[in-house]
Amino acid sequence: MRHKFKENRHICTIEQTRISQAEDRALPRYVKLLRALQKLRLASKQHPSTGKHLKSSYQIIKENERLVQCYPAFIIHPFSLLRMYSDVVVFIVMNLHLMLLPFAFSFLAFETHPNRHLVEYFDLSLCVILVAEFALTFCTGFVVLETNEIVLNPGKIFFNRLRPFRLMYDLLLFFPYILLLEVFDELILEAGAETCLAFVSFLYLCNIARFRDSNRYFSVIPRSLEISESKMRIVEVIMNTLYVLHWTTCLGYIIPVLLGADPSSRTPDEEQLLAAMRQHPNVSAVLEKVANPFVRLRLSDLDTSTTYRYLRSMMITLRVGLASSEKKDIEEHYVYHWIMWLVMFLGWLWFNYVPVVLCRFFDSPEMAIDQYDKFMANLKAFVYNKRLSVSLERKLRDNFATRFRTRYFDEEMIMGLFPKNLRSSIRMETCRHLVGSVDLFKNLPYFILTDIVNCLQLEIYLQDDVIIAAGSYGDSMYFLAAGTVAVYAMSGKELGHLTDGAYFGEISLIKRNQQRTANVIALEACEIYRLSHEDFQNVIKPHAYLLNRIRKQAEQRLAMMKRKKDKMYGKKFFEAFLQ
């Protein structure tokens, strides 16, 4: 059999498809470019969330047809390549923006203007990208988590994004706070401690709340690289820890300056500090006039680099957070005492929470996701012990991943907990559409269909797996729940494709050991339900009148198909599905 593949991709040899592909190749370059750009907004297999919601190529094609035919050209599918690439870019941009803001207001407020301008221009460019992302969300569909429905309707998308709380939450992200850096040093001197402290506290609370958004954008990256869920969550905890540490480090450096900025309570030493930070005089000369140890410490920082001051502030923050700070690290202002106590308390909570989370990741038998990852680790050890080839290991992993499709549960174990009537109801709701589409089963009583559905056996076939081999003898009927298969004549000619909801081999239920006249090959991972001849006969035999009726229908159908000479597929194509 000539089953042609190129780089593990099926090359279709059906005449109509070949003509269509040739016509596509003959298109002008600008048309090809436009099609490639349009393809970016369609659902793609490469998006890490596609496999969870769209199981097969057929479902992806139907979803894209729905997008193209029913909705405007500016609507973007949430599982598109454009959405995947933009999520990666926005994750990087968002974190750069949120890390740059506190650093700028803490360490660059008193820097020279050229340095500040460079930072301002860079952050404004990041804000422009975030604005573009905000606008893009009004064109991007979304998934309703409760029902897994993919919403592409422009009106629903617009009102979903226009909810008051969510709109304000999104607008606060890309607001150009960095422009206030131009006057921040003057605000410190003139507006007073309360105003500036309220502003930096607002920045802290507003942007720390971005954990969830950052993690959501980040999740696309490891899923694209097929990193396990448990490892991804560990990385998220580490990232969030560094994020909080960075913000607290910056606040810990600027808060003492803000607290000493109130003109009514400003001491001579604090006056010297503020003047020195703005003018950068000879530090050694100023230190001779200053007695306050905290002010002396800040003045000595002026002779050091910004990197050194940042790392030193981070060290103090860690020591406070771990309740190991020294008295000289604490400024005398009572508000600063309370803030450092809060940092100490939150640090205690955080650094006790992280080990608990990590222990839960490594030892949590009740967590389904971890069980999935543990099984994959056991599978890897099994492959190593058996010295299996890399290609076979990949097939084993793909088989298990296809069976569970990120659902992370043991179906057999769960089904075993239910009584027989509930198991039948679940199977009927899952598979009735497959059985009900078969001509031979039409008008059968409900209890007969229930018994047939209970006899179905789920089988997983991966790409290139042979489902039916030409020359073999049929003993089962097959229902294609998800996936795509190709049908080949014994000569090797490709006759056609079957997709979700198709069935073949129904005559084998009536006439056993009919010789197959075609090969059926899986073109992608397929979920197939098999109904054996024995199981069907056991169900239908007690009802002789139904069996006779089905036999008569099968004989009539077989005779009709034998007489029919289809010019496109040929006679053998139809016989292959009947047997």
Side-chain angles (χ1 to χ4, degrees):
M1 180 188 66
R2 296 175 301 196
H3 191 199
K4 299 180 181 180
F5 284 86
K6 182 180 180 180
E7 296 180 354
N8 294 327
R9 295 183 62 187
H10 169 68
I11 300 177
C12 188
T13 58
I14 299 175
E15 189 64 25
Q16 283 187 334
T17 305
R18 292 176 62 184
I19 294 173
S20 177
Q21 292 173 348
E23 291 174 348
D24 290 341
R25 288 193 295 269
L27 292 173
R29 289 186 178 180
Y30 75 92
V31 177
K32 292 182 180 179
L33 178 61
L34 288 176
R35 287 194 175 186
L37 293 176
Q38 292 174 354
K39 191 176 180 180
L40 287 176
R41 76 182 185 96
L42 303 179
S44 171
K45 278 186 177 181
Q46 299 178 36
H47 194 285
S49 299
T50 303
K52 181 178 180 180
H53 299 272
L54 305 172
K55 294 182 179 181
S56 65
S57 299
Y58 176 77
Q59 293 182 16
I60 295 175
I61 292 172
K62 287 298 180 182
E63 184 70 9
N64 288 334
E65 288 179 355
R66 180 170 77 100
L67 174 61
V68 172
Q69 296 174 5
C70 303
Y71 301 105
F74 60 83
I75 298 298
I76 301 169
H77 201 280
F79 305 145
S80 62
L81 288 177
L82 179 60
R83 187 68 264 172
M84 183 178 75
Y85 297 148
S86 64
D87 284 352
V88 174
V89 172
V90 170
F91 167 74
I92 297 172
V93 170
M94 177 187 292
N95 283 278
L96 284 175
H97 174 64
L98 297 180
M99 299 290 272
L100 188 61
L101 277 178
F103 183 82
F105 282 99
S106 297
F107 296 96
L108 303 180
F110 296 94
E111 288 291 333
T112 57
H113 287 284
N115 292 337
R116 286 204 310 217
H117 289 162
L118 181 62
V119 172
E120 289 168 2
Y121 292 148
F122 180 70
D123 189 71
L124 285 175
S125 64
L126 298 180
C127 289
V128 170
I129 297 176
L130 293 175
V131 170
E133 160 65 11
F134 175 73
L136 193 65
T137 57
F138 280 89
C139 304
T140 305
F142 63 94
V143 179
V144 181
L145 298 180
E146 293 78 9
T147 61
N148 281 335
E149 178 191 1
I150 302 174
V151 178
L152 300 175
N153 184 282
K156 292 182 178 180
I157 295 173
F158 181 80
F159 287 109
N160 179 65
R161 300 298 306 178
L162 213 59
R163 288 178 294 177
F165 175 78
R166 182 165 187 171
L167 182 62
M168 291 300 300
Y169 178 78
D170 291 337
L171 291 176
L172 289 176
L173 173 63
F174 55 80
F175 187 84
Y177 305 103
I178 199 70
L179 294 178
L180 294 175
L181 191 61
E182 280 291 312
V183 295
F184 192 64
D185 54 345
E186 298 177 4
L187 286 175
I188 290 177
L189 296 173
E190 299 173 4
E194 293 80 5
T195 302
C196 293
L197 187 59
F199 172 71
V200 296
S201 300
F202 165 76
L203 279 184
Y204 183 88
L205 296 175
C206 177
N207 292 287
I208 285 295
R210 297 290 170 178
F211 275 157
R212 184 177 180 183
D213 289 341
S214 179
N215 292 340
R216 178 173 61 84
Y217 285 111
F218 166 75
S219 64
V220 175
I221 301 174
R223 286 175 184 168
S224 301
L225 300 175
E226 298 183 354
I227 298 175
S228 65
E229 293 282 339
S230 58
K231 291 180 180 178
M232 186 175 73
R233 285 180 295 167
I234 292 174
V235 173
E236 286 180 358
V237 170
I238 296 173
M239 286 175 51
N240 293 341
T241 302
L242 296 176
Y243 189 31
V244 172
L245 178 61
H246 170 77
W247 268 89
T248 310
T249 295
C250 297
L251 290 179
Y253 187 85
I254 195 62
I255 282 175
V257 179
L258 299 179
L259 294 174
D262 190 350
S264 61
S265 61
R266 195 180 303 159
T267 65
D269 286 349
E270 289 168 344
E271 293 277 4
Q272 290 277 3
L273 173 61
L274 294 173
M277 292 182 73
R278 299 194 72 185
Q279 300 173 7
H280 293 274
N282 186 342
V283 174
S284 58
V286 179
L287 283 175
E288 296 177 357
K289 307 175 184 179
V290 174
N292 188 311
F294 183 82
V295 174
R296 293 178 63 87
L297 188 63
R298 282 290 184 265
L299 285 172
S300 63
D301 282 347
L302 298 179
D303 274 346
T304 61
S305 65
T306 304
T307 303
Y308 173 81
R309 284 183 284 151
Y310 174 78
L311 294 176
R312 181 181 173 279
S313 180
M314 179 177 289
M315 177 194 68
I316 295 174
T317 303
L318 278 172
R319 286 161 57 185
V320 172
L322 295 172
S324 61
S325 62
E326 300 178 10
K327 185 177 180 180
K328 66 180 181 180
D329 296 326
I330 306 298
E331 200 260 346
E332 295 300 325
H333 200 290
Y334 76 95
V335 176
Y336 189 73
H337 283 210
W338 277 102
I339 292 174
M340 288 300 101
W341 175 86
L342 182 62
V343 170
M344 186 182 301
F345 177 70
L346 294 178
W348 177 82
L349 286 179
W350 186 267
F351 289 107
N352 282 276
Y353 165 76
V354 171
V356 171
V357 171
L358 295 179
C359 291
R360 192 181 178 196
F361 289 156
F362 291 117
D363 187 21
S364 53
E366 77 283 0
M367 296 181 67
I369 296 178
D370 291 340
Q371 285 294 320
Y372 180 88
D373 292 335
K374 285 180 181 180
F375 181 88
M376 298 304 285
N378 289 334
L379 182 61
K380 185 176 181 179
F382 171 80
V383 169
Y384 176 80
N385 182 266
K386 297 297 183 180
R387 300 293 190 271
L388 301 180
S389 63
V390 176
S391 60
L392 184 55
E393 177 188 4
R394 187 181 300 111
K395 294 199 72 171
L396 294 176
R397 295 173 65 89
D398 290 346
N399 183 282
F400 187 77
T402 303
R403 181 177 293 273
F404 284 85
R405 291 189 186 273
T406 68
R407 291 174 295 197
Y408 309 120
F409 57 80
D410 188 341
E411 183 172 345
E412 293 183 2
M413 183 273 291
I414 294 176
M415 292 290 283
L417 299 175
F418 301 132
K420 184 177 179 180
N421 60 330
L422 280 181
R423 290 200 300 269
S424 297
S425 299
I426 294 172
R427 288 183 178 274
M428 279 297 290
E429 192 163 322
T430 305
C431 302
R432 185 177 181 179
H433 68 286
L434 298 174
V435 176
S437 63
V438 181
D439 292 337
L440 297 182
F441 297 162
K442 285 183 178 179
N443 301 321
L444 286 180
Y446 181 84
F447 70 92
I448 297 289
L449 291 178
T450 301
D451 292 338
I452 291 175
V453 167
N454 287 333
C455 294
L456 297 180
Q457 298 294 323
L458 176 63
E459 295 181 350
I460 301 297
Y461 292 90
L462 304 179
Q463 182 178 316
D464 295 347
D465 283 354
V466 178
I467 303 171
I468 289 178
S472 63
Y473 293 93
D475 62 351
S476 299
M477 178 184 179
Y478 297 89
F479 301 87
L480 183 54
T484 305
V485 300
V487 181
Y488 290 85
M490 297 184 71
S491 62
K493 180 182 178 182
E494 188 172 2
L495 303 175
H497 294 169
L498 295 176
T499 55
D500 299 17
Y503 59 89
F504 47 94
E506 64 267 34
I507 299 301
S508 296
L509 299 180
I510 307 300
K511 296 184 177 182
R512 190 177 183 181
N513 294 329
Q514 291 287 310
Q515 191 174 25
R516 309 286 194 184
T517 58
N519 297 279
V520 180
I521 310 288
L523 299 183
E524 61 180 341
C526 297
E527 293 182 10
I528 293 180
Y529 287 93
R530 184 175 67 87
L531 176 62
S532 68
H533 174 88
E534 291 82 359
D535 290 337
F536 176 75
Q537 291 295 325
N538 290 337
V539 169
I540 204 70
K541 269 185 179 179
H543 312 280
Y545 70 99
L546 293 176
L547 181 59
N548 292 332
R549 191 183 74 184
I550 292 175
R551 280 178 177 171
K552 184 180 294 186
Q553 290 176 352
E555 290 173 357
Q556 292 174 353
R557 179 175 170 82
L558 185 60
M560 180 186 66
M561 289 301 180
K562 285 182 178 180
R563 292 191 303 267
K564 189 174 180 180
K565 303 291 184 180
D566 190 277
K567 296 180 181 180
M568 183 178 299
Y569 299 109
K571 174 177 62 177
K572 294 183 179 180
F573 175 71
F574 296 98
E575 293 178 352
F577 299 128
L578 294 174
Q579 297 176 4

